[in-house]
Amino acid sequence: MSTDPKTVNLIRYASVCLLALAWGPAMACENLAVRDAWIAQAPPQAMALAGYATLENRGDRALRIDAVSGADFGEAMIHATREENGMMQMRMLDHLDVPAHATVTLAPGGMHLMLMQPSRRLKAGDTTILEFHCGKQTTAATFTVRPAR
Ligand SMILES: [Cu+2]
């Protein structure tokens, strides 16, 4: 029995659509835009790098980022910085909320991503992809390594 070419094309088209549904924009953190994403260059022996970005929620509902990951790092955490008795202290946040129509900035001296155990040397100009997880949804963003400022 031979399948006519039209049927084959239809099957192919249908599976492409299914893939798009499974892996496409429907799976992204709803209305999350990641801008100005960068990682501060660190000495080659550094066991952790700091990542920064502007996170914008363009939607009507609050977003909760509950995890961050990246293939180039053993672990990624969300950190807050605060001064205590003249010392800068970092503390791990369990999650990061971005209210509806609001922007949260991760910047030096404030909240940042702590990227642990880099698996390769990241120099200024290199890029790496980090994923922001909101429950079952994920938004990937390209981070560029820049000299620390
Ligand atoms: Cu930190």
Side-chain angles (χ1 to χ4, degrees):
M1 195 183 95
S2 69
T3 319
D4 83 293
K6 263 184 199 156
T7 310
V8 171
N9 276 338
L10 197 65
I11 291 166
R12 227 176 247 160
Y13 182 67
S15 41
V16 166
C17 285
L18 283 175
L19 275 176
L21 280 175
W23 304 107
M27 291 294 282
C29 298
E30 216 178 334
N31 298 309
L32 175 66
V34 181
R35 298 195 314 264
D36 307 322
W38 65 286
I39 289 172
Q41 188 181 23
Q45 68 276 16
M47 290 306 291
L49 285 82
Y52 307 105
T54 300
L55 308 173
E56 184 188 356
N57 180 358
R58 293 173 174 166
D60 295 326
R61 279 184 298 173
L63 275 174
R64 170 162 290 186
I65 295 164
D66 48 27
V68 179
S69 63
D72 281 327
F73 301 97
E75 196 187 352
M77 297 182 286
I78 304 165
H79 273 185
T81 310
R82 66 178 167 193
E83 203 181 312
E84 245 170 54
N85 309 319
M87 297 261 290
M88 294 300 263
Q89 304 265 357
M90 293 195 298
R91 137 184 98 88
M92 198 180 128
L93 301 181
D94 180 54
H95 58 260
L96 177 59
D97 287 326
V98 188
H101 301 290
T103 294
V104 170
T105 306
L106 309 181
M111 278 194 288
H112 55 275
L113 304 176
M114 204 84 244
L115 309 167
M116 317 293 292
Q117 302 137 33
S119 58
R120 64 183 173 105
R121 169 94 205 272
L122 290 162
K123 305 180 298 294
D126 290 348
T127 59
T128 186
I129 290 170
L130 294 179
E131 279 141 2
F132 293 84
H133 303 277
C134 319
K136 286 176 181 163
Q137 303 174 320
T138 297
T139 290
T142 301
F143 281 66
T144 304
V145 181
R146 301 211 303 239
R149 60 177 181 197

